[in-house]
Amino acid sequence: MTTSTFGPTAAPAAASRPAERAPATALRRGPFAAATYREIGYALVSLPVALAGFVWAVTLFALGTGLSLTVVGLPVLALLLASARGLGALERGRAAAQLNLHTTGPAALPRAERPGWWAGVQARLTDAAGWKALLFQVVMFPWRVASFCVTLTFLITGWTVALYPVYAWVFPRYAGRPGYRVLDYTSDGVRHQYHLSSPWQIAGASLVGLLLVLLTPKIVHALTNVDRAAVRSLLGRGTTGAGE
């Protein structure tokens, strides 16, 4: 009995074709995927959240260390570390809802060995999880400023340029220009202007915009991966979901 050599080899080849098409399909669907806009929303909302956390952390830390020579300073630092834990819980919730990252929170604060509020203050001051959560608020602020700017720039620029053929007629009709003005400068008393007005120029600009639209989900995902790593390392002790 003879066995055909085409059967065993054809199946893997056929099975590999969907896998080869998967990255291209994911790239095309990226701009319209719900996960993309969850990550974009996360990056944009992170700026005001980070600003509030950074101001709160710096203010209380400066106040606490400035008063550390008195009895008042240490309770202020204890309050800061307790609130840092609370902000860390908020960040883990945001990461779970928008980044599909489910991270187990740090261990609970150990009970004070002695009764009384002073023993509680001392326990707070030795809370490693609280200090890590405070570090998160400080180091993530500049990153989230940059992440917000990059995300918003690519999002607006990509769609604005990609849709240029839709509104190109506005410039000659209402702005008194043949098209969008790219360059406008004066050299040796001569004014030079360059507009996107011809069909080829409009189509070329739209293609550049579409490329930016396709790249935006990848860029935003790379930016939010930094947030994922920070949440894992500074705000949790284990991850039950690796994220998208």
Side-chain angles (χ1 to χ4, degrees), residues 189-205:
V190 179
R191 186 178 182 183
H192 302 274
Q193 294 182 339
Y194 183 79
H195 300 86
L196 298 176
S197 56
S198 72
W200 289 107
Q201 292 169 335
I202 295 174

Side-chain angles (χ1 to χ4, degrees), residues 174-234:
Y174 296 106
R177 301 198 301 266
Y180 178 79
R181 183 180 297 165
V182 179
L183 293 176
D184 186 1
Y185 67 96
T186 302
S187 176
D188 297 329
V190 179
R191 186 178 182 183
H192 302 274
Q193 294 182 339
Y194 183 79
H195 300 86
L196 298 176
S197 56
S198 72
W200 289 107
Q201 292 169 335
I202 295 174
S206 181
L207 288 176
V208 172
L210 288 174
L211 178 61
L212 293 177
V213 169
L214 292 175
L215 288 177
T216 297
K218 302 300 180 182
I219 293 172
V220 175
H221 186 70
L223 293 172
T224 55
N225 274 341
V226 175
D227 292 81
R228 289 182 175 93
V231 170
R232 289 190 191 100
S233 59
L234 295 177

